[in-house]
Structure formats: structure tokens, C-alpha cells
């Protein structure tokens, strides 16, 4: 059984009389432990698809099966549970809580799965360390640079040891050096902990870290092939 | 699984971020709870005072006064013409089945002298049954007897105020005082009774045998004349019967024809006081109800602010949902915020209400009583207000779609 199975997923946004077909019948299968890069021009439906994979949004038609379960059959709280312990999500726009320290932002997913306060703190500190933000635990988002905020968002996705990490342009605000550090981290998580990673990127050198590249255009998959390692 | 301590922490932080707003929202509850407590305190104080007065004048008491309330269309003050006698009193006791006891009374104001002290007070000639009729007791010494009344003995029972003013530290029992220059021996002291419903000091009085008052002090227009007759009915339910029986008996005894007005008046003090007590209770309820409206308004204030807060923090709700917050995590967060607002407001309101009622009783001179029940009621009511008015905004927040909440601008 595949980890992720997308069966003919479409997404139609209705804006008044205008209908936007953000996704047109996307079908694909992703196995456990894979490392996938999604590429494509702006507006091609990458984020829309990623939101559906992350159980944040629902498809207009089609089915999304996670570990064999049709997510359409799950209620709000069951979906919340999946977002909490199965998926680590890095948002395109970070989505950090304002007026809240980096540490507490990273702790947030743990708040909702009954881990003790002490253990929460411990795990959050470890995750922040992994993204190179040691010593910034007490900083609020406004006191951090764009790249640092992005790394807090990545730490939050790592903190609950989820088997799947979905990252929407995780290196979009990072310099080349930090970008490659983050990508090395993803590669390590993928290799050593067998974590499935799906990330969206516009840069082919970032995509090169993955093992399979899926290309979107106007809401459709136009290309899906493994990366040839040199 | 809901993490209550963390949820409480989150709610407190949100309240702290908007200190001014939280304080103003609480103010609505403070005023509401304070008003409820103060109003109930005023009402409870008033009805307590009335029931104290009811028991102080004596329970189940009727008073027969001479003179009609109206005579030939002309309103005459009751008690203007003497028409009642000692015999009337005896007949009432003997012939009215609903009557327990009677005490006739002939009184006047007189100068009392003891040693070099003097005091002016009401001297009431009556019978020993007055103690039973007025629910009064002897503190020291003893009462005079029927025998004293028969033989017009010069003995006196003193009220506490008279004792205080004439004797000070000296023991009055056995001492001789002069009333209108007639020497009387003090044989007993009445227990303290306090103020009457009309605000008179009931302890400022002297009781002497009726016949002594008639023959030695005040004189009578006709033999056996008394000013009033106090009657104690057997029960509260029997008060109306007693009133009817007395009226019938006296009309017959005074030979009043069917078309003629009474030459006496029967007053039902207990009934009057009970009516007053009843209306005070209604007033208490009304005051409380009006004050509750302000509590309700305070609650709506909380709801308003919570709705604003939910809208403002839509993105925050989206983020929390995206990382796994469940329906009740979100709901509890906002309900706890609302309840915290209302409970802190409630506690401050209780303080305000209690001190407010103190101020009222100081300024207006009203007795106010803050009952523990009203505090408990106000506190739990403010908690309920928080839950009730917090629930809708919390419910609204919990129904948001995570992706829509995240995209909210
Ligand atoms: N909430 C929405 N309402 C209406 N249309 C939407 C909404 N979200 C996305 N779209 C439309 O769906 C299409 C796909 O958008 P999406 O965000 O998935 O693009 P993307 O591939 O992630 O682009 P980028 O690389 O710029 O992030 C776009 O044409 C966009 O206008
Ligand atoms: Mg996008």
C-alpha cells in the first residue's frame, strides 16, 4: 500500500461567475521514504495540491488516500490528528504566531498531543538547533530575519517527528549556504529516519537534492521522472 | 486530548496583550455584578429591618382605638374621643374566641424624678398581660400582678432607656421614683426592645398598674376609661376573625345602630407590617432584576469583544488548526478567555458591590445586608455569563476551515 495516493484530484475555485481550475485531475502515487520535488511556474497549482496533501484543504472531486484511508471519510478532529502527528508542514508564508517566541512557535504542534511541558521544551530546543537557530529561542518573529523565520517554520515541521514533511518553497528566503544546509538536513532525515519529503521549489539545484521531480503546468502534471544522480 | 494548563496559559496571554480592552470589557461585568450585589443588599436590609420591627411590636397584634376614622363624612383622627373602657377589654377577652389576650392602656407623658435626675417619658397604665400581648419580658425584678391592678398599688416597671437616664450605675429595683410627684417603687426592668416601626424608642417607657394610672396620675372622663386596648390574636390566620369579632362585640356594647359609624377603630398592625414586608420583597426582586440587566449588558460586551477577537485572530486559529488543534482545543481557548474575563470581573464586582453597599448604608443611612448567597449567586452567574457569551464566538472560531483561516487577511 502506497503512503500517498492521489486519484483524479481536481480543485475548482469559484470567484463569482468565474471558475478557476487550479488542479485538473491529478493522479499520482508516493511511496514511503521517497524524496520528491514539485516544480512548475507560478500559479500552476503546486501549493493547491500541497494543501490537499497536508489535509488543510479538500479536493473538489477525486480522492486522496493517506496510508490507504480516504481522507474524505475522516472528520475534522481526525484530520487535525493527522496534521498533528503524521505531517510536518512548512508554509510558503511561514505562518508563525505573532508576539510569540520562536521556542513557543516550535512547541505549538506538541501542545496539541499531550506531551509534558518539559519534554515539549526539550524537543523544541533540539529542533531549533537542527535548523541552526541556537540562542534565538526567545526571539519573536518580528525580531527575526526572513530566513530565520523560515527556519523557525522548518523547525516546527520537524518537531513532532512526523513521517511526512511537506515543504512549500522552504528555501525561498534563504541564501545559498543556508539553503544547502537545510537541504542537507532534509536529505539526512530522509536517509536516516526514512521520512518522506515532498517539497516545492523553483530552483533546479534544490530539486537536484530529491530523488523524483514532478512538474506542474496549469494544474496538470506534465512531467514525473526520477532524478539521475551523477 | 486537551491540554488544559497550556490552554489557560494561551488565554491569559491573549488577555494580557490587549490589557486596556480586557479591562474595559471586565468593567461591564464589574458594574453588573456590583449593582446586583448592592441592590440585593439594600433590599435584604430593608426587609430584614421590617421583620425585626414586626417581631418587636409583638406578633398577631391588634390595636383598638377610640373614635371613628370617619364620622358623618368628616374625617376624625382615630383616638380623638375617649370611648373605650376597662370593661370593653374584659369583654373582648371573654367573648371573642379568636383572641388570646388583651391589655388595656391608659397613658400620658409625665415628669419622672429620681434623686436629682429627671426624665420625661410616656407612662402607661396597663395590666400584667401587656407583657404577653407585646411579647415582652422582664430583665430584672418582677412584673406587677392582677392584685396590684385591683388595689392600685404604686409600683412601676421601667424601660431600659428610662433606667439609663435616671439611674446610670445604680440598681433601680426597690428604689422610689416620683411620677408627677407621686412616689412609685420600682419593681422590675423591661428587656431591651429597640425601635418601633415608626422609629420610636420603645424602651423609653414606664408601665404601672392601670388603676393607679386612672386614679392617681391621669384621671378619667368616665369610670374605667382606657385610651387603647391592645389585643393579641391566637394566630396570624385568626387575625381577621378576631378583628370581626371585636368589631361586632364593641358595636353591640356601645349600642351602635346598623346605619351608624363605629365609635372605635381596630388596627391590624401585623397585617400592615406584613404588607410592607411583602412590598419590600417585591422591591428587592425588582432592584435585583434591574441590576441583572446591567450584568446582561456586561455579558454582551464580553461576547462583542470575543467576536472581535476571533475575527482578529483568524490567522492564529488557522495556524493552530494546521498544526493539529482540534475543535475543542480552539473552543476551550476562547471560552476560557471569556470566562476569565467574566470571573475576574465578577470578583472585582463582588468587592465593588460589598463596598458599594457599605457606602450606601453610610450615606443614606439604610441598613444593607450582603448575604453570602447573593455573593455566590453573583459569582456563579458571572461565570455562566462568560460561558454563555463566550461560547458563540468560540463555536464560530472552531468551525473555520483551516485553509480559509490561514488565508484570512
Ligand atoms: N483561494 C483561492 N481562490 C481563488 N483562486 C485561487 C485560490 N488559491 C489559489 N487560486 C488560484 O489557483 C491557481 C493555483 O494557485 P497556487 O497557489 O496553487 O499556485 P502555485 O503553483 O503555488 O504558485 P506559486 O509558485 O506562485 O506559489 C492560481 O491561478 C490561483 O489564482
Ligand atoms: Mg505556491
Amino acid at each position: 500500500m502506497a503512503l500517498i495516493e492521489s486519484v483524479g484530484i481536481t480543485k475548482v475555485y469559484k470567484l463569482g461567475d468565474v471558475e478557476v481550475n487550479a488542479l485538473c485531475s491529478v493522479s499520482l502515487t508516493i511511496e514511503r521514504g521517497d524524496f520528491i520535488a514539485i516544480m512548475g511556474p507560478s500559479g500552476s497549482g503546486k501549493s493547491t495540491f500541497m494543501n490537499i496533501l497536508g489535509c488543510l484543504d479538500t479536493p473538489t472531486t477525486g480522492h486522496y488516500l493517506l496510508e490507504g484511508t480516504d481522507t474524505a471519510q475522516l472528520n475534522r478532529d481526525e484530520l487535525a490528528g493527522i496534521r498533528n502527528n503524521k505531517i510536518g508542514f512548512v508554509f510558503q508564508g511561514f505562518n508563525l504566531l505573532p508576539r510569540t517566541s520562536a521556542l513557543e512557535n516550535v512547541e505549538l504542534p506538541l501542545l496539541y498531543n499531550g506531551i509534558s511541558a518539559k519534554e515539549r521544551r526539550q524537543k523544541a530546543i533540539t529542533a531549533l538547533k537542527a535548523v541552526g537557530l541556537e540562542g534565538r529561542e526567545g526571539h519573536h518573529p518580528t525580531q527575526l530575519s526572513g530566513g530565520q523565520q523560515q527556519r523557525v517554520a522548518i523547525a516546527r515541521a520537524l518537531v513532532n517527528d512526523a513521517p511526512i514533511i511537506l515543504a512549500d518553497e522552504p528555501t525561498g528566503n534563504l541564501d545559498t549556504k543556508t539553503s544547502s544546509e537545510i537541504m542537507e538536513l532534509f536529505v539526512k532525515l530522509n536517509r536516516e529516519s526514512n521520512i518522506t519529503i515532498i517539497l516545492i521549489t523553483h530552483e533546479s539545484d534544490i530539486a537536484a537534492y530529491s530523488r523524483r521531480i514532478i512538474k506542474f503546468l496549469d494544474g496538470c502534471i506534465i512531467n514525473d521522472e526520477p532524478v539521475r544522480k551523477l | 486530548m486537551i491540554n488544559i494548563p497550556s490552554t489557560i496559559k494561551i488565554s491569559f496571554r491573549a488577555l494580557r496583550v490587549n490589557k486596556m480592552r480586557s479591562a474595559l470589557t471586565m468593567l461591564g461585568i464589574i458594574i453588573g455584578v456590583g449593582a446586583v450585589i448592592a441592590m440585593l443588599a439594600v433590599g435584604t436590609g430593608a426587609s430584614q429591618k421590617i421583620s425585626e420591627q414586626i417581631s418587636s411590636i409583638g406578633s398577631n397584634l391588634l390595636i383598638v382605638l377610640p373614635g371613628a376614622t370617619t364620622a358623618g363624612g368628616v374625617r376624625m383622627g382615630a383616638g380623638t374621643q375617649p370611648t373605650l373602657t376597662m370593661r370593653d377589654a374584659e369583654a373582648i377577652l371573654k367573648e371573642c374566641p379568636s383572641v388570646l389576650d388583651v391589655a388595656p392602656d391608659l397613658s400620658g407623658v409625665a415628669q419622672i424624678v429620681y434623686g436629682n435626675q429627671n426624665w420625661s417619658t410616656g407612662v402607661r397604665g396597663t395590666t400584667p398581660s401587656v407583657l404577653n400581648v407585646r411579647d415582652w419580658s422582664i430583665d430584672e425584678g418582677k412584673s406587677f400582678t392582677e392584685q396590684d391592678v385591683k388595689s392600685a398599688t404604686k409600683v412601676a416597671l421601667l424601660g431600659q432607656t428610662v433606667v439609663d437616664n435616671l439611674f446610670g450605675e445604680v440598681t433601680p429595683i426597690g428604689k422610689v421614683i416620683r411620677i408627677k410627684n407621686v412616689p412609685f417603687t420600682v419593681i422590675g426592668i423591661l428587656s431591651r426592645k429597640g425601635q418601633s416601626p415608626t422609629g420610636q424608642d420603645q424602651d423609653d417607657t414606664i408601665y404601672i398598674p392601670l388603676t393607679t394610672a386612672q386614679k392617681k396620675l391621669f384621671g378619667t372622663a368616665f369610670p374605667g376609661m382606657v385610651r387603647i386596648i391592645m389585643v393579641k390574636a391566637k394566630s396570624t390566620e385568626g387575625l381577621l376573625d378576631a378583628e370581626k369579632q371585636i368589631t361586632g362585640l364593641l358595636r353591640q356594647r356601645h349600642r351602635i345602630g346598623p346605619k351608624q359609624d363605629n365609635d372605635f377603630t381596630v388596627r391590624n398592625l401585623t397585617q400592615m407590617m406584613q404588607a410592607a414586608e411583602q412590598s419590600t420583597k417585591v422591591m428587592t426582586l425588582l432592584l435585583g432584576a434591574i441590576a441583572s440587566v446591567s450584568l446582561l449588558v456586561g455579558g454582551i460586551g464580553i461576547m462583542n469583544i470575543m467576536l472581535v477577537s476571533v475575527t482578529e485572530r483568524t490567522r492564529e486559529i488557522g495556524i493552530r488548526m494546521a498544526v493539529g488543534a482540534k475543535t475543542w482545543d480552539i473552543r476551550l481557548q476562547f471560552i476560557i478567555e471569556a470566562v476569565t474575563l467574566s470571573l475576574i470581573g465578577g470578583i472585582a464586582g463582588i468587592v465593588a458591590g460589598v463596598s458599594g453597599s457599605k457606602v450606601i448604608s453610610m450615606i443614606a443611612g439604610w441598613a444593607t445586608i450582603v448575604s453570602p448567597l447573593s455573593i455566590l449567586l453573583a459569582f456563579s452567574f458571572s461565570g455562566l455569563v462568560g460561558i454563555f457569551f463566550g461560547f458563540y464566538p468560540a463555536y464560530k472560531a472552531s468551525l473555520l476551515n483551516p485553509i480559509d483561516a490561514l488565508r484570512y487577511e
Side-chain angles (χ1 to χ4, degrees):
Chain A
M1 176 181 48
L3 177 66
I4 286 172
E5 214 178 328
S6 160
V7 187
I9 287 181
T10 67
K11 184 76 190 177
V12 181
Y13 290 112
K14 278 208 183 82
L15 295 168
D17 295 339
V18 189
E19 284 194 353
V20 180
N21 284 302
L23 291 175
C24 51
S25 194
V26 174
S27 296
L28 60 76
T29 307
I30 296 171
E31 298 297 336
R32 243 176 222 88
D34 212 345
F35 190 155
I36 291 169
I38 297 178
M39 299 187 74
S42 186
S44 56
K46 307 183 294 294
S47 294
T48 305
F49 185 60
M50 186 79 108
N51 288 338
I52 291 171
L53 292 188
C55 294
L56 292 166
D57 207 352
T58 47
T60 308
T61 60
H63 293 277
Y64 167 33
L65 283 72
L66 183 64
E67 293 179 321
T69 314
D70 190 343
T71 52
Q73 267 148 26
L74 302 175
N75 65 29
R76 289 176 70 90
D77 284 351
E78 285 165 335
L79 289 172
I82 287 176
R83 291 195 294 270
N84 185 252
N85 48 46
K86 290 240 161 70
I87 296 166
F89 206 108
V90 184
F91 296 94
Q92 195 166 9
F94 318 146
N95 279 330
L96 299 177
L97 286 184
R99 295 179 297 266
T100 306
S101 71
L103 188 71
E104 283 171 297
N105 261 296
V106 176
E107 272 185 16
L108 202 58
L110 305 176
L111 210 60
Y112 298 113
N113 64 5
I115 289 179
S116 76
K118 204 174 142 216
E119 203 180 334
R120 283 205 301 267
R121 183 144 297 234
Q122 209 60 54
K123 287 188 129 185
I125 289 172
T126 314
L128 278 170
K129 205 189 227 167
V131 296
L133 278 181
E134 258 178 305
R136 306 273 168 179
E137 286 86 354
H139 286 57
H140 288 195
T142 46
Q143 299 162 337
L144 294 167
S145 73
Q148 286 169 332
Q149 290 180 44
Q150 183 137 45
R151 283 187 277 165
V152 174
I154 294 169
R156 187 176 63 190
L158 301 179
V159 78
N160 53 359
D161 302 319
I164 306 168
I165 288 179
L166 304 175
D168 199 345
E169 303 195 31
T171 57
N173 287 276
L174 302 182
D175 57 85
T176 332
K177 184 169 162 286
T178 328
S179 291
S180 48
E181 274 169 23
I182 293 293
M183 288 318 292
E184 292 297 347
L185 179 66
F186 281 148
V187 170
K188 190 169 150 236
L189 287 168
N190 178 246
R191 289 234 182 88
E192 290 173 12
S193 314
N194 199 35
I195 289 173
T196 311
I197 293 171
I198 305 171
L199 59 82
I200 297 174
T201 183
H202 286 285
E203 295 156 62
S204 38
D205 48 339
I206 295 294
Y209 283 92
S210 71
R211 284 193 248 152
R212 174 177 164 194
I213 296 176
I214 299 173
K215 286 201 170 127
F216 272 71
L217 184 67
D218 295 336
C220 300
I221 295 176
I222 51 159
N223 201 352
D224 183 352
E225 58 184 24
V227 175
R228 278 177 301 257
K229 296 275 174 185
L230 298 173
Chain B
M1 196 191 315
I2 294 166
N3 191 332
I4 302 279
S6 308
T7 314
I8 293 177
K9 220 173 115 192
I10 294 167
S11 308
F12 272 57
R13 173 176 315 165
L15 293 178
R16 241 179 298 136
V17 167
N18 289 304
K19 279 194 202 73
M20 187 66 178
R21 192 159 90 183
S22 305
L24 286 174
T25 312
M26 275 177 207
L27 193 61
I29 295 291
I30 294 173
I31 292 172
V33 169
V36 168
I37 288 187
M39 291 300 105
L40 288 182
V42 167
T44 316
S47 59
Q48 176 107 344
K49 199 169 173 198
I50 287 178
S51 37
E52 269 166 19
Q53 289 170 343
I54 289 180
S55 52
S56 86
I57 57 166
S59 55
N60 305 334
L61 193 65
L62 293 170
I63 292 183
V64 187
L65 300 160
T69 33
T70 57
V74 182
R75 288 186 74 92
M76 315 268 288
T80 42
Q81 294 155 317
T83 56
L84 297 172
T85 67
M86 180 87 186
R87 290 268 161 78
D88 288 331
E90 283 160 5
I92 288 171
L93 180 61
K94 211 184 289 168
E95 285 172 43
C96 299
S98 298
V99 169
L100 183 69
D101 212 343
V102 296
D105 179 302
L106 177 72
S107 55
V109 174
Q111 179 91 357
I112 326 291
V113 180
Y114 171 73
N116 58 355
Q117 302 290 319
N118 72 86
W119 184 248
S120 202
T121 189
V123 178
R124 316 184 83 97
T126 182
T127 59
S129 54
V130 73
L131 297 176
N132 181 27
V133 171
R134 302 263 345 246
D135 294 323
W136 216 333
S137 62
I138 298 283
D139 232 20
E140 262 177 75
K142 57 181 174 43
S143 170
F144 52 82
T145 60
E146 290 295 344
Q147 189 53 49
D148 288 318
V149 176
K150 269 200 193 105
S151 46
T153 325
K154 286 177 277 183
V155 291
L157 299 177
L158 306 190
Q160 294 280 357
T161 307
V162 178
V163 172
D164 294 344
N165 283 289
L166 280 183
F167 289 92
E169 298 296 295
V170 186
T171 317
I173 307 285
K175 300 285 183 321
V176 174
I177 55 171
R178 291 179 164 274
I179 305 175
K180 277 186 160 181
N181 252 333
V182 181
F184 281 78
T185 310
V186 177
I187 56 164
I189 297 170
L190 295 162
S191 62
R192 195 174 288 281
K193 215 165 177 41
Q195 283 199 344
S196 77
T198 44
Q200 281 160 343
D201 179 5
Q202 300 183 90
D203 297 313
D204 190 8
T205 193
I206 293 182
Y207 281 166
I208 58 171
L210 177 65
T211 44
T212 319
Q214 288 168 332
K215 290 172 188 157
K216 310 249 158 71
L217 285 185
F218 304 121
T220 49
F222 48 88
M225 180 195 99
V226 298
R227 288 266 302 135
I228 61 172
I229 301 170
M230 288 178 279
V231 180
K232 192 183 184 67
K234 281 185 175 147
S235 64
T236 314
E237 298 75 46
L239 271 170
L240 283 178
D241 287 338
E243 199 179 329
K244 272 192 211 122
Q245 290 158 8
I246 293 166
T247 308
L249 179 72
L250 290 185
R251 280 182 74 88
Q252 193 189 327
R253 286 180 59 84
H254 294 189
R255 299 201 172 77
I256 296 166
K259 294 240 166 68
Q260 279 177 293
D261 284 325
N262 292 341
D263 64 350
F264 60 89
T265 308
V266 183
R267 283 235 172 105
N268 186 339
L269 280 188
T270 309
Q271 212 178 33
M272 276 160 61
M273 293 304 292
Q274 275 170 346
E277 191 182 29
Q278 200 55 42
S279 58
T280 320
K281 279 195 180 130
V282 171
M283 182 195 76
T284 308
L285 275 179
L286 258 167
L287 286 177
I290 292 169
S292 307
V293 171
S294 60
L295 190 53
L296 189 78
V297 172
I300 294 172
I302 288 191
M303 175 136 121
N304 183 26
I305 281 306
M306 292 312 295
L307 281 173
V308 170
S309 184
V310 164
T311 314
E312 262 180 7
R313 283 148 67 196
T314 304
R315 268 175 71 85
E316 176 196 322
I317 295 166
I319 293 170
R320 291 182 184 280
M321 285 177 164
V323 299
K326 297 193 169 72
T327 317
W328 273 100
D329 290 317
I330 300 294
R331 277 185 201 171
L332 268 187
Q333 181 187 335
F334 285 94
I335 289 174
I336 288 174
E337 269 187 53
V339 170
T340 307
L341 277 176
S342 67
L343 280 189
I344 295 178
I347 291 170
I350 287 170
V351 174
V354 171
S355 30
S357 43
K358 289 249 161 64
V359 171
I360 289 173
S361 53
M362 255 162 49
I363 293 176
W366 299 341
T368 57
I369 294 169
V370 180
S371 69
L373 185 74
S374 72
I375 289 183
L376 195 76
L377 213 76
F379 189 68
S380 38
F381 196 54
S382 62
L384 280 179
V385 161
I387 293 174
F388 185 79
F389 289 106
F391 188 81
Y392 175 66
Y395 174 78
K396 219 182 119 183
S398 74
L399 285 193
L400 287 170
N401 214 4
I403 195 71
D404 295 336
L406 279 172
R407 287 212 190 100
Y408 185 84
E409 305 273 274

